[in-house]
Amino acid sequence: MSRTVMLWLVWISLTVPAALFVLAAIVYGGNRSFLLIGKTSNGHHQIELACDACHISVFGGPEVLQDACVRCHGAELKAANDSHPLSKFTDPRNADRTAILDARHCVTCHQEHRPAITRAMGVTLPDDYCFHCHADIGEDRPSHEGLKFTTCASAGCHNFHDNRALYGDFLLKHADEPDQRETPRVVLVEFLKSRKDTIKVPRTLVATDADAPAVHRGDIDVVTAWAGDAHARTGINCSGCHTAKAEPARWIAAPGLETCKTCHADEARTFVEGKHGMRLRDGLMASHDGPLGLFRAAKLAPMTPGEARLPMKMDQTRTSLGCNTCHSAHHYDLATAKVERCAGCHDDTHTKAYFASPHYELFKKEVAGLAPKGSGVSCATCHMPPSETRRPDGSKSVFATHNQNDNLRPNEKMVRSVCGNCHGLQFTLDALADRALIASNFTGLSGVHIESIDWAQRRARERGEHRQ
Amino acid sequence: MKRQTVRVAAAALLASGVTAATAVHAQWFGSKESKGIPLQQVADMLHAVMESDRTVYTQRVVNRLQNEEKVIQADEHFMDKKALPLPAQMFRFGAEKVAEKTKSFSYSLLSLWPVNKQNAPRTAVEKDGLKFVADNKGKNYYGEETLGGKKYYTAVYADVAVSPACVSCHNAHAETPRTDFKLDDVMGGVVIRLPMN
C-alpha cells in the first residue's frame, strides 16, 4: 500500500466517524453542549440543549427561527397588545423601514448565542433602534425634542412591545393617585369571595377516610398532614392524586406536574412558561429515538438551582424543581410556599433584603391574623400575582400565575398586575426605575422621578387649549 | 429548399414562443390585470366590501350605541375601558388578519390630518392620492409604485364622514390636527395595494 493511500485511509477513518458523531448529536442528541456556538442568553440557557426547540428544522433561515419564537412567545405578545406587531412591518408602505431594521423577525433584535452584544431583555441591537423610525418625534411632541435616543426605553417611558401601563390615557387616568391606596385591591381574594356561592365544596375528609391501600399508606404523619390540609378539606382523597386513570388503576408513588395539572391546569400551564418549569414544557426534548437504539427520546431534566445564573444557596444546588419543591407533598401551606420556599434557594440581594422590608412586615401581620387576607406582600404577591384567564365558556377566572417571569423585564409590566393594587402610578413608576431601591427590596423611597405623567398632563392641557 | 423550410419553421416557432411567453408574462406578471380581471376592477371590488363594512359598523354599531342611545363609548383603549373598538381599529384589525392570510393585497386607512401620526402618508403615491381624493370628491386615484424592490398597483379611495360619529369624535380628539370636519367631508383615504410581480 502506498503512503498516500494509507494516509487517505487514516484520514477517512477519522473524519467519517467524527462527522457521524456531530451529525448524530445535531439530529438525535446525546452530549451535545459542544455544539453551542456561544453562551446562550439568560432567557434560554435552561433549554439550550433542546436545540430543536428553536432550530425547528436543520434547514431554513430566520423564518424557521421565527416560528419557534412565536410558538413560545406569541401568545404573551398578543396578550400584551404588542405595540410593534408583525403586521406593521409586512405592510409594503413600511418597506423602507424594514430595509433598515427588519422587525419582521425577532432575531433582528434578539440574537441568540451572542454574549458579547447581549444586553438587558436579550436585546442585541445598538440602543438607537427607536430612532430609525421615530427620528422626527420632536416635530409632533416638542417635549421630546433633543432627548437622547438612549432614553426612549428608560423605565417609565416606552417599551418596544408592552406599553399597557405607559400609554397616554393610562398615565392621565392614574395621574393623581396617592402613593398608597387606602385599601389594597386583593384580586384573588375578591374573586373567590364573588364565587363563594357557586363553588360546591364536597364533604371534608378526616384521617380515617384515607383510601390508600395499606401498603402505600406510609407513616401516620403523612395521613395526619393530609387530613389537616386543603386537599382533605376539599374532599380529595389519597387515590385522587396517587392513582393513574388507567385500567387497572395504577398507584403513583410520587405524583408530580402531570397529576397536579389535571386539577390545577392554569397553574401548571404557567409554571412551564416561567423560569422554574420551562424545561418541562411539552415538546422540549434533550434527545430523540435514534438508529440501533443508540439514542433514546428523553425530555430535558427539571431545572436545579445549581444550574441557575442567579445567586442560589449552596445547599440546594441539586434540588429538582417541580410542584412539590415549593408545595411540600401533603402539606400545601401557602404561607410557606409564598416566602420561605423562595428564600430557601434564592440568595441574591433583593431576596435577602426582603426580610427587612415594609412588604415583609405586612406579610407577617397578615400571617399573624392582624391584617386582612391578601394585604401582606410576599414574594409570590409580586412574582406570581393573580392573573385573569377566560374559561372556554367565556367566563372569567382568576388564578395565581406560576410564570414568575410574566411581569418582569421590563418591570413596568408589574404596574398593572401588582404595584397598582396598593400604590399610585407615579409612586410606582419612580420606584421601579430606581435600581438601588429594587436591590433593597423597596425599603425607603425612590431617588428617581419619572416625568412621563407630567408630560402627558402638559400635553393634554396644551391640546385642550389648542382645540378651543 | 428544405433548409429554408426548417429555418422558417424554427423562426415561426421562436416567434410564437416569444409571443406566448410575453402574453403569459403580461397575464401573470406585471400587467395591469390580475388573472383576467383588470387590477383597477379588483381594487374597486375590494374597496366596495371594505367601505360597506366600515359604513355599517360606524352607522349601525358606533353611531347608534354611542351617539344616539349613549349606552357605550367607542374608544381607542377599548380593552381597558370595556368599550367598542374605533371604526379605524376595526378596519386595521381586518387588514392585519388579511396580512396573516395572504400577500396578494394589503390595505390601510390614512389621512392628511391623522389623529395617529403613523396614519400620515409616507410614499409619494399615498401623498398624491390622498390629496387627489380630497380635492376631487367622488373620484378615485390609481397609481403604481415600487416599494422594497417590488412593484405595486396602488389605489386610493376617499374615506368620507358618513355618520355624525365620525365628525364628533375626530373634531374632539385630543390629538387631531383638524377640528372642522363636517358630515360628508373627505377625512382621509383607503389605500389598497396589489403586487404586480
Side-chain angles (χ1 to χ4, degrees):
Chain A
M1 206 187 299
S2 85
R3 202 176 124 85
T4 320
V5 172
M6 212 167 72
L7 280 175
W8 269 109
L9 282 179
V10 169
W11 189 82
I12 290 171
S13 58
L14 287 175
T15 312
V16 170
L20 284 176
F21 176 74
V22 173
L23 204 67
I26 292 173
V27 179
Y28 300 113
N31 190 356
R32 47 160 70 150
S33 48
F34 70 91
L35 290 170
L36 294 167
I37 54 168
K39 191 178 169 199
T40 317
S41 69
N42 292 344
H44 292 146
H45 79 97
Q46 290 194 25
I47 55 166
E48 64 187 5
L49 293 181
C51 308
D52 51 5
C54 301
H55 304 279
I56 297 179
S57 157
V58 182
F59 310 101
E63 268 73 28
V64 171
L65 286 173
Q66 184 65 22
D67 286 348
C69 305
V70 172
R71 204 162 61 176
C72 285
H73 299 284
E76 66 183 307
L77 280 171
K78 265 219 164 87
N81 196 12
D82 187 4
S83 309
H84 291 91
L86 180 64
S87 53
K88 270 210 171 124
F89 302 97
T90 52
D91 193 328
R93 69 190 298 261
N94 285 324
D96 57 332
R97 290 173 163 168
T98 338
I100 300 169
L101 188 100
D102 186 0
R104 293 169 304 174
H105 299 113
C106 303
V107 293
T108 301
C109 306
H110 303 281
Q111 290 182 51
E112 193 42 278
H113 306 298
R114 301 290 302 277
I117 54 168
T118 304
R119 292 169 296 108
M121 258 69 78
V123 175
T124 47
L125 218 56
D127 264 336
D128 60 352
Y129 54 88
C130 307
F131 193 73
H132 295 308
C133 294
H134 302 284
D136 58 357
I137 187 67
E139 288 169 23
D140 181 40
R141 305 203 170 229
S143 57
H144 288 50
E145 215 161 330
L147 288 180
K148 280 205 236 71
F149 57 70
T150 44
T151 60
C152 314
S154 301
C157 292
H158 304 285
N159 289 328
F160 187 82
H161 295 294
D162 185 346
N163 287 290
R164 281 173 296 173
L166 300 174
Y167 66 82
D169 280 4
F170 187 87
L171 297 175
L172 291 174
K173 183 179 168 203
H174 297 277
D176 298 317
E177 289 171 343
D179 292 353
Q180 206 84 36
R181 285 169 70 103
E182 231 163 77
T183 42
R185 200 163 41 215
V186 281
V187 183
L188 191 54
V189 176
E190 278 162 14
F191 174 74
L192 291 176
K193 247 190 228 158
S194 75
R195 289 299 157 92
K196 211 167 181 168
D197 302 334
T198 61
I199 300 171
K200 271 214 276 289
V201 182
R203 182 176 73 86
T204 294
L205 302 174
V206 295
T208 48
D209 292 321
D211 69 354
V215 279
H216 294 305
R217 204 163 305 159
D219 64 61
I220 185 72
D221 291 346
V222 170
V223 178
T224 318
W226 163 78
D229 205 46
H231 281 134
R233 263 202 309 284
T234 48
I236 311 297
N237 214 319
C238 311
S239 58
C241 304
H242 283 282
T243 46
K245 282 197 188 77
E247 282 297 335
R250 190 167 51 81
W251 181 259
I252 307 172
L257 185 62
E258 291 306 309
T259 305
C260 305
K261 82 173 179 200
T262 54
C263 291
H264 303 282
D266 291 322
E267 288 80 359
R269 173 176 54 81
T270 48
F271 174 67
V272 300
E273 288 169 2
K275 288 289 178 75
H276 292 141
M278 66 189 285
R279 282 189 173 175
L280 305 176
R281 199 165 171 139
D282 278 341
L284 293 186
M285 303 299 284
S287 58
H288 299 280
D289 283 329
L292 310 171
L294 285 173
F295 298 92
R296 288 253 171 273
K299 299 187 82 167
L300 290 173
M303 184 61 179
T304 62
E307 295 162 282
R309 289 191 179 165
L310 294 173
M312 295 286 160
K313 296 228 161 98
M314 290 307 286
D315 58 342
Q316 294 293 338
T317 47
R318 284 160 189 273
T319 308
S320 281
L321 292 184
C323 305
N324 288 132
T325 317
C326 302
H327 304 284
S328 359
H330 305 117
H331 188 61
Y332 295 85
D333 179 35
L334 285 180
T336 319
K338 281 173 174 174
V339 171
E340 245 175 72
R341 283 301 143 81
C342 314
C345 293
H346 287 268
D347 204 22
D348 53 281
T349 332
H350 177 77
T351 307
K352 288 192 272 198
Y354 169 73
F355 296 95
S357 74
H359 284 156
Y360 183 53
E361 286 306 312
L362 291 171
F363 182 66
K364 281 193 292 192
K365 263 196 197 153
E366 181 194 334
V367 172
L370 300 171
K373 217 169 153 99
S375 63
V377 184
S378 65
C379 308
T381 307
C382 302
H383 297 291
M384 296 194 178
S387 249
E388 248 183 45
T389 177
R390 294 272 163 191
R391 297 265 167 254
D393 68 1
S395 63
K396 189 173 92 170
S397 181
V398 177
F399 71 103
T401 181
H402 278 53
N403 176 0
Q404 50 51 246
N405 220 39
D406 191 41
N407 63 6
L408 286 172
R409 297 194 183 92
N411 67 11
E412 296 95 349
K413 287 180 177 182
M414 284 195 152
V415 173
R416 291 172 71 110
S417 60
V418 176
C419 313
N421 290 331
C422 302
H423 297 289
L425 185 59
Q426 182 70 61
F427 182 87
T428 302
L429 291 178
D430 293 349
L432 289 173
D434 186 340
R435 304 305 308 176
L437 189 64
I438 294 172
S440 75
N441 212 310
F442 306 103
T443 307
L445 289 172
S446 175
V448 178
H449 176 69
I450 293 296
E451 290 176 297
S452 40
I453 295 181
D454 309 336
W455 289 9
Q457 284 183 310
R458 196 164 70 216
R459 171 121 177 141
R461 258 197 319 274
E462 283 166 10
R463 291 266 122 185
E465 284 157 17
H466 153 91
R467 274 206 312 281
Q468 267 137 40
Chain B
M1 183 65 205
K2 211 174 164 204
R3 181 170 286 180
Q4 185 79 5
T5 321
V6 172
R7 252 190 232 149
V8 170
L13 210 69
L14 195 73
S16 60
V18 169
T19 316
T22 314
V24 167
H25 185 267
Q27 180 80 4
W28 292 93
F29 312 100
S31 86
K32 288 206 175 188
E33 298 197 358
S34 157
K35 293 179 195 165
I37 311 175
L39 286 178
Q40 179 177 335
Q41 201 181 331
V42 174
D44 288 353
M45 283 156 61
L46 289 170
H47 177 250
V49 178
M50 292 170 193
E51 186 188 35
S52 306
D53 285 353
R54 181 160 159 74
T55 305
V56 169
Y57 179 66
T58 310
Q59 291 180 339
R60 300 256 180 122
V61 182
V62 177
N63 196 61
R64 180 172 64 89
L65 296 176
Q66 173 183 263
N67 296 48
E68 293 171 10
E69 304 284 357
K70 302 195 189 327
V71 291
I72 185 167
Q73 293 279 314
D75 193 285
E76 226 165 314
H77 304 290
F78 58 91
M79 290 292 281
D80 274 357
K81 301 207 174 141
K82 301 200 194 316
L84 297 172
L86 301 173
Q89 287 176 310
M90 281 298 267
F91 195 82
R92 187 166 57 232
F93 296 154
E96 286 171 0
K97 273 264 180 286
V98 167
E100 282 170 24
K101 286 183 186 142
T102 176
K103 287 194 170 69
S104 60
F105 70 104
S106 63
Y107 60 101
S108 44
L109 180 65
L110 308 177
S111 174
L112 296 168
W113 314 278
V115 171
N116 176 351
K117 299 299 166 283
Q118 297 295 326
N119 298 333
R122 297 199 69 238
T123 72
V125 168
E126 285 177 356
K127 283 177 197 150
D128 294 347
L130 287 177
K131 185 145 176 20
F132 180 87
V133 297
D135 294 343
N136 300 275
K137 229 177 151 195
K139 286 205 183 129
N140 309 327
Y141 179 92
Y142 304 97
E144 286 174 24
E145 55 189 339
T146 303
L147 303 169
K150 281 199 190 118
K151 208 168 166 197
Y152 293 90
Y153 181 80
T154 303
V156 184
Y157 303 85
D159 191 53
V160 178
V162 290
S163 147
C166 314
V167 173
S168 61
C169 185
H170 273 256
N171 284 348
H173 198 282
E175 298 294 335
T176 188
R178 230 186 107 170
T179 54
D180 60 349
F181 284 119
K182 296 182 302 300
L183 203 62
D184 290 330
D185 272 358
V186 174
M187 296 178 67
V190 171
V191 177
I192 300 178
R193 278 197 183 86
L194 306 168
M196 296 177 79
N197 43 25

